[in-house]
Amino acid sequence: MEQVNGDTLEAARKVIAVHINYPSRAAQRGRTPAQPSYFLKPSSSLSLNGSAVERPAGCELLGYEGEIALVIGKTARRVGIDDAWSHVASVTASNDLGVYDLRWADKGSNLRSKGGDGFTPVGPALIPADAVDPANLRIRTWHNGQLVQDDSTEDLLFPFARLVADLSQLLTLEEGDIILTGTPAGASVAKPGDLLEVEVSSVDGSLTTGRLITKVEEGTTPFADFGAGPKVDDLQREEAYGSRDAAGLPETASVLTPELKAKLESVATATLSSQMRKRGLNNVSIDGLQATRPDRRVVGLARTLRYVPNREDLFKTHGGGFNAQKRAIDSVNEGEILVMEARGEKGTGTVGDILALRAQVRGAAAIITDGGVRDYTAVASLDMPTYFANPHPAVLGRRHIPWDTDITIACGGATVQPGDIIVADSDGILVIPPAIAEELVDNCIAQEQEETFIFEMVKQGNSVDGLYPMNAEWQAKYQEWKASNADD
């Protein structure tokens, strides 16, 4: 098998990298792009197998990202997806290295953070493109001998042929150009003395690039004061390591604390609705739905998914594979509620038993859709409640395309944003803006305490005149009753 050598590097006039392409990485980042986006790395960043890479002096966060690199074999300009793969000569392993310490100065270009000398090692061997199925490749990365990335190209957000065709719409891809195709979850930070290895192979292991080896060294030349210097914060540390926990950072406090959640679970949706009306919020209920578990009351933070009306050509590009519906289900977290915008379309299902089960296994508190549910009996048997318009046997593609996630949507006549607090029970479903939740629920608790007193007084035979709502005389009696009960 041909080896990557100096000639390979010299032939690469352009190195183009894709931002996010693996579903696992999209879930980790918490954002899933609808279209591919790119950045350029200078050809001077290329290096060979066994080379050393410097972590620049004064920098903390040298990130590594194992990737599959495509080497263009013949000029591609305005080629279609069906023809695009024929313009790729070979695939090899690459490591998209960069320092997060300089991202602040890049304004999105990644030039400083990812353009350094040696920041794009490739090799060691080239696998002929015509010998592999581009949807049947495996990418693995080892950090000091420990396997940290292991994924395949089966469910890429943007298949390789689509990347080549898309790029060729605007610029000419020339022989020798290299396209870095994205990294899966598991990318992290390397320190001086660490050893990084990346391997690309066919899934069956019959073809392999061998391991691309890169050694990390400490840079000794400090940055001059006439340019941007390194600067990091906890957000960059979290991005570089992949999570706050991996970065050794304390978890950020959720707006929905256990104490607030307990309060919201203790008050009626009718009371919450009343208090929101007092604040001028009249359009915060998701209407017209039924529940698989009307006996349950759920409180959680919203995650969102939007369906658009089916259009056959768009369903081909957005409906199959690891689409937005599956990405949303597979990234919902413990205690979250997945809210779906289906435009009130009842003529097909928007979720079925397998995906509902997956959401339950991931710890979702509920699914809410203003469309139909397939496999109703199985979905209804789950412990996790699902709120829906009606059962329907048809598959998703009859009426919908799963389009995007974690955006502002409309569901059952209400606007829902990611991070809104959802309270749902047999009386209805409410959307609570997080900023007012604490004050709102405290007022609800006070209101329900008053209503308990009023109920007792009516039960004792008192007229509601002056009692409901309470006039000054009854207010005084209420204060006495409250003090008495507080003493008990």
Side-chain angles (χ1 to χ4, degrees):
M1 193 174 294
E2 184 180 350
Q3 300 292 299
V4 174
N5 54 35
D7 292 340
T8 310
L9 305 192
E10 290 179 8
R13 298 180 62 181
K14 296 186 288 296
V15 180
I16 305 168
V18 178
H19 281 108
I20 293 178
N21 199 13
Y22 286 80
S24 61
R25 182 70 161 178
Q28 185 182 48
R29 289 297 202 208
R31 56 183 184 270
T32 302
Q35 301 291 343
S37 61
Y38 314 92
F39 60 94
L40 285 169
K41 299 189 76 171
S43 58
S44 56
S45 71
L46 292 167
S47 64
L48 295 171
N49 177 48
S51 299
V53 64
E54 280 192 1
R55 185 182 74 175
C59 289
E60 173 188 337
L61 304 173
L62 176 66
Y64 62 82
E65 300 175 2
E67 305 205 12
I68 297 172
L70 311 182
V71 181
I72 297 299
K74 62 179 180 179
T75 300
R77 177 66 167 134
R78 296 193 175 117
V79 300
I81 291 177
D82 293 341
D83 181 48
W85 188 246
S86 69
H87 291 261
V88 178
S90 55
V91 300
T92 191
S94 181
N95 198 334
D96 183 14
L97 296 159
V99 281
Y100 283 73
D101 311 61
L102 296 174
R103 291 177 80 188
W104 70 273
D106 271 340
K107 310 300 182 185
S109 73
N110 286 341
L111 179 61
R112 292 177 179 86
S113 60
K114 291 205 169 196
D117 288 353
F119 277 20
T120 316
V122 292
L126 296 164
I127 301 175
D130 59 9
V132 296
D133 176 357
N136 199 30
L137 293 172
R138 185 182 187 187
I139 174 76
R140 287 180 291 175
T141 304
W142 292 263
H143 183 185
N144 291 332
Q146 180 181 358
L147 183 65
V148 292
Q149 292 184 288
D150 189 354
D151 212 331
S152 78
T153 57
E154 181 181 5
D155 292 319
L156 291 177
L157 302 179
F158 313 112
F160 293 161
R162 179 173 173 182
L163 299 178
V164 174
D166 182 35
L167 287 165
S168 77
Q169 293 187 95
L170 189 62
L171 53 90
T172 300
L173 297 173
E174 300 163 298
E175 182 179 354
D177 286 351
I178 292 174
I179 301 172
L180 307 184
T181 57
T183 194
S188 189
V189 172
K191 299 178 180 179
D194 287 356
L195 184 69
L196 302 170
E197 300 170 273
V198 183
E199 181 181 12
V200 173
S201 65
S202 55
V203 170
D204 64 9
S206 61
L207 294 171
T208 177
T209 62
R211 294 195 186 185
L212 169 67
I213 298 172
T214 306
K215 303 168 186 175
V216 181
E217 297 179 350
E218 181 71 273
T220 57
T221 304
F223 285 91
D225 58 8
F226 50 74
K231 182 169 61 176
V232 297
D233 54 25
D234 284 351
L235 175 60
Q236 294 306 321
R237 293 184 178 96
E238 179 182 353
E239 290 266 304
Y241 281 93
S243 70
R244 294 185 65 83
D245 181 61
L249 301 170
E251 288 298 320
T252 53
S254 169
V255 65
L256 188 59
T257 62
E259 295 77 17
L260 176 57
K261 185 172 184 288
K263 287 181 181 180
L264 288 166
E265 289 171 339
S266 73
V267 296
T269 51
T271 311
L272 288 165
S273 178
S274 173
Q275 285 294 330
M276 282 196 283
R277 281 181 60 84
K278 290 181 179 180
R279 290 162 171 78
L281 293 169
N282 298 303
N283 300 295
V284 288
S285 64
I286 297 175
D287 298 332
L289 306 186
Q290 53 186 307
T292 59
R293 293 294 305 271
D295 58 312
R296 294 285 300 280
R297 179 179 179 83
V298 295
V299 177
L301 294 179
R303 296 284 299 277
T304 61
L305 166 65
R306 181 169 70 110
Y307 296 110
V308 298
N310 187 26
R311 204 179 88 184
E312 287 74 9
D313 61 321
L314 295 176
F315 193 89
K316 289 179 181 178
T317 57
H318 290 76
F322 200 65
N323 58 34
Q325 179 200 41
K326 293 176 181 176
R327 295 196 301 270
I329 292 288
D330 219 45
S331 65
V332 67
N333 296 312
E334 183 80 26
E336 293 178 337
I337 296 174
L338 180 57
V339 186
M340 301 179 179
E341 174 185 337
R343 311 176 311 283
E345 171 56 63
K346 300 179 180 181
T348 190
T350 56
V351 68
D353 57 345
I354 292 175
L355 293 185
L357 175 61
R358 175 61 176 158
Q360 176 175 287
V361 168
R362 287 194 57 84
I367 290 175
I368 299 172
T369 173
D370 61 356
V373 163
R374 293 184 72 223
D375 313 306
Y376 169 75
T377 301
V379 173
S381 70
L382 297 176
D383 186 57
M384 178 195 69
T386 295
Y387 299 81
F388 62 103
N390 58 273
H392 201 283
V395 295
L396 185 71
R398 181 169 185 254
R399 299 284 173 83
H400 301 296
I401 306 172
W403 198 254
D404 45 15
T405 62
D406 293 320
I407 60 166
T408 300
I409 64 167
C411 181
T415 298
V416 182
Q417 293 191 301
D420 281 343
I421 296 174
I422 305 293
V423 179
D425 61 14
S426 57
D427 281 343
I429 306 168
L430 296 177
V431 182
I432 300 174
I436 69 168
E438 194 73 52
E439 178 189 14
L440 180 79
V441 75
D442 286 342
N443 290 158
C444 287
I445 291 170
Q447 178 182 328
E448 290 197 346
Q449 192 174 32
E450 290 182 3
E451 290 175 351
T452 298
F453 169 74
I454 294 169
F455 186 86
E456 288 296 324
M457 295 304 101
V458 172
K459 188 176 180 180
Q460 292 175 17
N462 291 284
S463 169
V464 294
D465 185 25
L467 173 61
Y468 187 53
M470 290 186 287
N471 57 24
E473 180 182 353
W474 276 112
Q475 281 285 354
K477 292 180 180 180
Y478 166 65
Q479 294 300 326
E480 293 177 5
W481 175 86
K482 187 166 71 168
S484 174
N485 280 272
D487 292 339
D488 294 341

